[in-house]
Amino acid sequence: MTLRYEGKKVLVTCVERYMGNVIADGFEQEGAEVVRDSDLLVSESALEDLADRAKDIDILVANFAEDPMPNRVDDILDEELDTLFQHMVFPLIRTVRRFVPAMKAKGKGKIIAMTSASPLRGIPKFSAYCSARGAQNAFVRAAGLELAADNIQFNAIAQHYVKNERYFPDELIESERFKARVLPQIPTGKIAEAEETAELALYLASDKCTHMVGQVIPWSGGWATTTG
Amino acid sequence: MTLRYEGKKVLVTCVERYMGNVIADGFEQEGAEVVRDSDLLVSESALEDLADRAKDIDILVANFAEDPMPNRVDDILDEELDTLFQHMVFPLIRTVRRFVPAMKAKGKGKIIAMTSASPLRGIPKFSAYCSARGAQNAFVRAAGLELAADNIQFNAIAQHYVKNERYFPDELIESERFKARVLPQIPTGKIAEAEETAELALYLASDKCTHMVGQVIPWSGGWATTTG
Amino acid sequence: MTLRYEGKKVLVTCVERYMGNVIADGFEQEGAEVVRDSDLLVSESALEDLADRAKDIDILVANFAEDPMPNRVDDILDEELDTLFQHMVFPLIRTVRRFVPAMKAKGKGKIIAMTSASPLRGIPKFSAYCSARGAQNAFVRAAGLELAADNIQFNAIAQHYVKNERYFPDELIESERFKARVLPQIPTGKIAEAEETAELALYLASDKCTHMVGQVIPWSGGWATTTG
Amino acid sequence: MTLRYEGKKVLVTCVERYMGNVIADGFEQEGAEVVRDSDLLVSESALEDLADRAKDIDILVANFAEDPMPNRVDDILDEELDTLFQHMVFPLIRTVRRFVPAMKAKGKGKIIAMTSASPLRGIPKFSAYCSARGAQNAFVRAAGLELAADNIQFNAIAQHYVKNERYFPDELIESERFKARVLPQIPTGKIAEAEETAELALYLASDKCTHMVGQVIPWSGGWATTTG
């Protein structure tokens, strides 16, 4: 039996954060050669080192995340603002910029950004975080339309309410407060397994999915159904 | 090797129109038992007959389409308006209504509506058609959020620029006019193969896709990237 | 002092329903000659009679509403479906169709549809209503883009959480249940005065607002902030 | 005759750029006391100086703009990225943060951000610019929902195709290339006068507009009709 991603090379960034390792696992289980990078990719030299290690990738999973701080508008910290954009927005743009020329040379490519549904509806007390995630989503939309002409499909998985150790660790999910306060806000009434996100990434990265580009896909159990 | 949909029963409506047969083929190739219905499902009795033939379905592909007429707002015909809603909107709502109770009884279900991206941006001279497609999309969003609580995932594939005999027949696609006038409007620069839509339907109908509900998915080569 | 709408002729449909009379009042207080029509405009003859009475209007306020019924998907009634579309969707399209030629002849015009924000997010148990309101919104988007080229500005006020006798009567607003259950869902924490909607209509109908067309404006105290 | 903004104090930032002066003029003609600031507000000290000069403002027009550079994804410059976010995103967030406490103390306030419709659809070769504008829009949505509870209405005018010396100077608008290439992309077929944007700002800042919050308003002649 042939695995779906045999012979394909995938780079997943910031694997220790957010959805990194679970998506890397997903591709690996389907036969891909996966480069797992754990640098924050803030510096140019780290990005160049990675580019050396990850030559000829077919698929880039651009996974950049930072913990949100629940701060009112008047309490947003300069460091918070700086960290959110330095760790989420600029590395996304620079990493895509770095790997696009090789994809163009190859005549094809797949890029999946792991973003958030939070800016699609807006969450009070998380306006700085929503702003940085909104910058990611807007980049995907514009760059995705541009790269479509080069046969590179670039989309975003704008997720919310998916299990991951950082945002929704098991002890939180099992707490009474969570069941009483959070679950009722999710139309599906449940937190998704992280593996489901990996499955979506596998679908998007396939050769049979070329008609979706520049798309910010709400992936949130129905919390957000329109893009914004 | 196990096929992906072995043991699953799928109903595809109006198979002669729009994406019906190609999606039915997709599920069949993956091992599903497929009921292909070709009635317009305008009458209650036709729907009841179908319900008898399609007991215990796991997946409903609600495919309802009507040819758009290029008419300015002041030239919309009463018959046109009537036909668009009678063939696209009401059968969608009634068919979903008819098959939902059995899915609830089973504790799970999948519904995929084949709709259009046209109302997401709006197309001059097709306002009646956009209105009927918008009614479909809005139904999916609201009903999808409601049915999510019953473990039924209901989403729409809002497509545009996909090959199908009715809207984009081969002779049109190969014409010079099409290449000069239409292709430049599609960010991907091409019309998608119909089989790609079938693949998206196969992804959405899978047990590994439970976190997307009430979603109207733009599927248009980048023509529409936001929902509306 | 010159009133803002002196010398202008305005038609407001279905004045007894939804936002009809309050918007008619708004234009009248600003000096407009207002034709208040209270027919449902389901029949062609009623529409022709109205067209005779409302010649040469500058502004059409297309206000069509029907009470939603809280029904689950499996309980939607055929009569309900029929009434929603017969009273909200078809008269909107037909009325716009009827008055557009005179506006084109004049070289300018303003059309404002009174719709709903409900389909922008989707409301469980109101899927039939959301579908009909979605049909209205989608019509405005497509027809608005088309008519823009004729110097006719056509937009929709997609409202929610605005005082009106039918949907939010005073006794409901003053109930404890409302304060405990509904107000917390509105980011502004309050129901808007109906006169505020009239003010928005006055703004949209002005000669100084020509750059907005085919727009579905969420008007909901922050409940919906993206269109859908 | 009473002017609409007599007795009101308005701050407009970066008046030399984008829509600054024309909006300042609009409020001034309606009787407001207008503080026109021309600093880029990148430094904390400039912001503190301004806060001293602009005490007790009723209305903040947060106007921050930077020239977009037409660069493909692989050609985005680090300086470009830095400048776009340093001049558009961070000063917006910091300025709003600085003026919100006084508005809260007063029990009311109005904030209007001058942003762009570009991220609502995405523009190839302007992905860095779209990203920064998207960060602005996402901030407005989240912060606007939060501040709604404090009786502060915060919205964005997401404009495109409006006359202003920087982006659409007269010589460009009168060129044959512009008429042949750009105008056909605008459903209204024309570039809006800058004064129309000022009029929209006057409407949004009024006491009669409290039901719209956290809204990103497409203002683009129909180019974008859905938010994103």
Side-chain angles (χ1 to χ4, degrees), chain A residues 100-170:
Chain A
V100 153
M103 288 181 174
K104 284 187 178 178
K106 217 183 230 192
K108 62 186 294 193
K110 293 278 183 182
I111 310 175
I112 298 166
M114 300 308 305
T115 72
S116 164
S118 56
L120 308 187
R121 274 184 53 178
I123 306 183
K125 289 202 259 182
F126 290 94
S127 57
Y129 180 77
C130 287
S131 178
R133 287 297 197 185
Q136 289 186 321
N137 287 340
F139 176 70
V140 175
R141 185 173 293 133
L145 292 190
E146 178 187 317
L147 296 171
D150 303 296
N151 196 26
I152 297 168
Q153 289 86 41
F154 182 13
N155 295 289
I157 299 179
Q159 83 171 26
H160 196 18
Y161 298 129
V162 175
K163 278 188 196 170
N164 69 81
E165 274 179 44
R166 234 176 148 105
Y167 294 176
F168 295 108
D170 285 349

Side-chain angles (χ1 to χ4, degrees), chain C residues 19 22-23 114 157 159 161-163 188 190-203 219-221, chain D residues 110 151 153 203-204 206-213:
Chain C
M19 307 306 291
V22 74
I23 291 180
M114 301 308 307
I157 298 177
Q159 83 171 27
Y161 299 129
V162 174
K163 278 188 195 169
T188 53
K190 66 181 183 59
I191 294 284
E193 298 296 325
E195 287 73 17
E196 269 211 22
T197 300
E199 197 62 37
L200 173 54
L202 288 168
Y203 166 69
W219 179 250
S220 63
Chain D
K110 293 279 182 181
N151 196 26
Q153 289 86 42
Y203 167 69
L204 290 171
S206 107
D207 289 341
K208 291 176 177 168
C209 179
T210 68
H211 200 49
M212 190 182 280
V213 294

Side-chain angles (χ1 to χ4, degrees), chain C residues 62-81:
Chain C
N63 172 66
F64 296 98
E66 188 49 74
D67 293 351
M69 297 181 67
N71 272 335
R72 292 193 180 282
V73 168
D74 14 344
D75 297 325
I76 294 170
L77 302 171
D78 281 338
E79 313 83 83
E80 175 193 2
L81 204 52

Side-chain angles (χ1 to χ4, degrees), chain A residues 160 190 196 210-211 215 221 225, chain B residues 160 190 196 210-211 215 221:
Chain A
H160 196 18
K190 65 181 185 58
E196 270 211 21
T210 68
H211 200 47
Q215 196 69 39
T225 57
Chain B
H160 195 19
K190 66 181 184 58
E196 270 212 22
T210 68
H211 200 47
Q215 196 70 38

Side-chain angles (χ1 to χ4, degrees), chain C residues 113-188:
Chain C
M114 301 308 307
T115 73
S116 164
S118 56
L120 307 187
R121 275 183 53 178
I123 306 183
K125 289 202 260 182
F126 290 95
S127 58
Y129 180 77
C130 286
S131 179
R133 287 299 197 183
Q136 290 186 320
N137 287 341
F139 176 70
V140 174
R141 185 172 294 133
L145 292 190
E146 178 187 318
L147 295 173
D150 303 296
N151 196 26
I152 296 168
Q153 290 87 41
F154 181 15
N155 296 289
I157 298 177
Q159 83 171 27
H160 196 16
Y161 299 129
V162 174
K163 278 188 195 169
N164 69 82
E165 274 177 44
R166 237 176 145 103
Y167 293 175
F168 294 108
D170 285 349
E171 61 271 26
L172 173 65
I173 292 175
E174 281 149 25
S175 70
E176 287 312 309
R177 195 171 176 281
F178 187 83
K179 287 173 190 168
R181 299 282 299 272
V182 179
L183 286 189
Q185 295 179 34
I186 318 173
T188 53

Side-chain angles (χ1 to χ4, degrees), chain C residues 1 141 145 148-149 160-162 186-188 190-192 196 199-200 203 207-222 224-227, chain D residues 1 141 145 148-149 160-162 186-188 190-192 196 199-200 203 207-222 224-227:
Chain C
M1 181 186 163
R141 185 172 294 133
L145 292 190
H160 196 16
Y161 299 129
V162 174
I186 318 173
T188 53
K190 66 181 183 59
I191 294 284
E196 269 211 22
E199 197 62 37
L200 173 54
Y203 166 69
D207 288 341
K208 292 176 176 169
C209 179
T210 67
H211 201 48
M212 190 182 280
V213 294
Q215 196 70 39
V216 175
I217 305 166
W219 179 250
S220 63
T225 58
T226 42
T227 43
Chain D
M1 181 186 163
R141 186 172 292 133
L145 292 190
H160 196 18
Y161 298 130
V162 174
I186 317 174
T188 53
K190 66 182 183 57
I191 295 284
E196 270 211 21
E199 197 62 37
L200 173 54
Y203 167 69
D207 289 341
K208 291 176 177 168
C209 179
T210 68
H211 200 49
M212 190 182 280
V213 294
Q215 196 69 38
V216 175
I217 306 165
W219 178 251
S220 63
T225 57
T226 41
T227 44

Side-chain angles (χ1 to χ4, degrees), chain D residues 64-129:
Chain D
F64 296 99
E66 188 48 75
D67 293 351
M69 297 180 68
N71 273 334
R72 291 191 181 282
V73 167
D74 16 344
D75 297 325
I76 294 171
L77 302 171
D78 281 337
E79 313 84 82
E80 174 192 3
L81 204 51
D82 196 57
T83 304
L84 287 170
F85 283 80
Q86 291 295 337
H87 290 179
M88 298 209 294
V89 181
F90 304 138
L92 167 65
I93 297 178
R94 287 183 184 132
T95 302
V96 169
R97 176 180 69 183
R98 184 64 188 81
F99 285 92
V100 152
M103 287 180 174
K104 284 186 178 178
K106 218 184 229 192
K108 62 187 293 191
K110 293 279 182 181
I111 310 176
I112 297 164
M114 300 307 307
T115 72
S116 164
S118 56
L120 308 187
R121 276 184 52 179
I123 307 183
K125 287 202 261 183
F126 291 95
S127 58
Y129 180 76

